[in-house]
Structures are given as structure tokens and as C-alpha cells.
Amino acid sequence: MLFRSLVANIIAGLALGFTVTNIGYGDYAELNRMFTFQDLRMLLAFAGAVGIIVVVFAVLRVRRTPGRIHAGVIPGAVLFGTGWAISGGCPAIPIIQVASGYLPALITIAGVIVGIQLCHWANARYFHLDRGSCGL
């Protein structure tokens, strides 16, 4: 059972990497054009993917539990988006970039690791936010 799960995850990861690379999400220049609104193709692809997920969640009847937005969501989203725009990749994209031979993405991976550690430290020292299901 564990072996089948591992194989399924490897196949899904390779398929995702192939798809993401062919769409252009692994290319810094493409991402820069998306974030500066020079080329809306990738932005529309992203919006389409979100739309598909909304439909799938509706069909599967996945519901968000009612309640407040976690205090860390807004600043976390701003930091995530800023880092994505600067580095040209969310946490998964630099792995695809390195696999494609774009070695400067190693700096992004190091930044993600440092950012996670800083988040743990800042939360423990200053914010004391409930980690909830996020597992900060």
C-alpha cells in the first residue's frame, strides 16, 4: 500500500511538473510578464484552474467551516505574493526551475527555508498565533 501511494505521488508530481513547465510557470520571464500584466495568458490559466477547483469542490460538496479568517492569513498572503513576484516562483516552482537547469532558483529555495524559520521564530516570540490546522 505504501509503495502504491509513493508511485502515485511520483507520477502525480511528474505530471504536475510537466504541465506547469509547459504552461510557463517555471519560467521567470513568463511570471514577470504575468505579474506586470504584460501577458494575461498565464493569469487566465491560473484563474481557469481556480475556477475548475471551485466547480470540483462544489460537486464534491467540500465546504469551508464558518468562522473568522485566521489573523495570519492576510499578512501571509501579502508576503507569499511578494515573494512569488520577486523570485518568480511559489515554493514548488523553484524545484521545477532547478530540475529544468535554472540554478539561481536554489536561492529561492534557500529563501523559502529561511522564511519558514523566521515565521516560526516571529510567531513564537511576538505573535503567538494559534496554529490551528496550518501547522505553522
Side-chain angles (χ1 to χ4, degrees):
M1 183 67 171
L2 179 63
F3 179 73
R4 275 197 275 183
S5 178
L6 177 63
V7 170
N9 281 314
I10 289 171
I11 290 170
L14 288 171
L16 177 66
F18 177 80
T19 303
V20 165
T21 299
N22 284 317
I23 290 173
Y25 274 101
D27 182 1
Y28 178 82
E30 287 278 341
L31 288 168
N32 184 285
R33 285 192 291 276
M34 178 183 78
F35 279 113
T36 57
F37 301 107
Q38 296 174 19
D39 184 0
L40 297 180
R41 180 183 61 84
M42 286 185 27
L43 185 62
L44 293 173
F46 188 78
V50 170
I52 290 169
I53 291 298
V54 167
V55 170
V56 168
F57 276 25
V59 168
L60 296 176
R61 300 178 194 260
V62 175
R63 300 279 184 246
R64 182 183 166 276
T65 57
R68 297 177 345 148
I69 293 178
H70 187 277
V73 169
I74 302 300
V78 169
L79 287 171
F80 180 87
T82 302
W84 190 13
I86 291 170
S87 69
C90 65
I93 298 302
I95 296 168
I96 294 167
Q97 290 172 334
V98 169
S100 299
Y102 184 69
L103 296 182
L106 290 170
I107 295 169
T108 303
I109 293 170
V112 168
I113 293 168
V114 169
I116 290 169
Q117 295 304 315
L118 284 174
C119 178
H120 284 280
W121 174 81
N123 188 50
R125 177 147 179 146
Y126 299 110
F127 304 118
H128 310 291
L129 297 172
D130 175 25
R131 298 189 313 186
S133 64
C134 297
L136 263 176

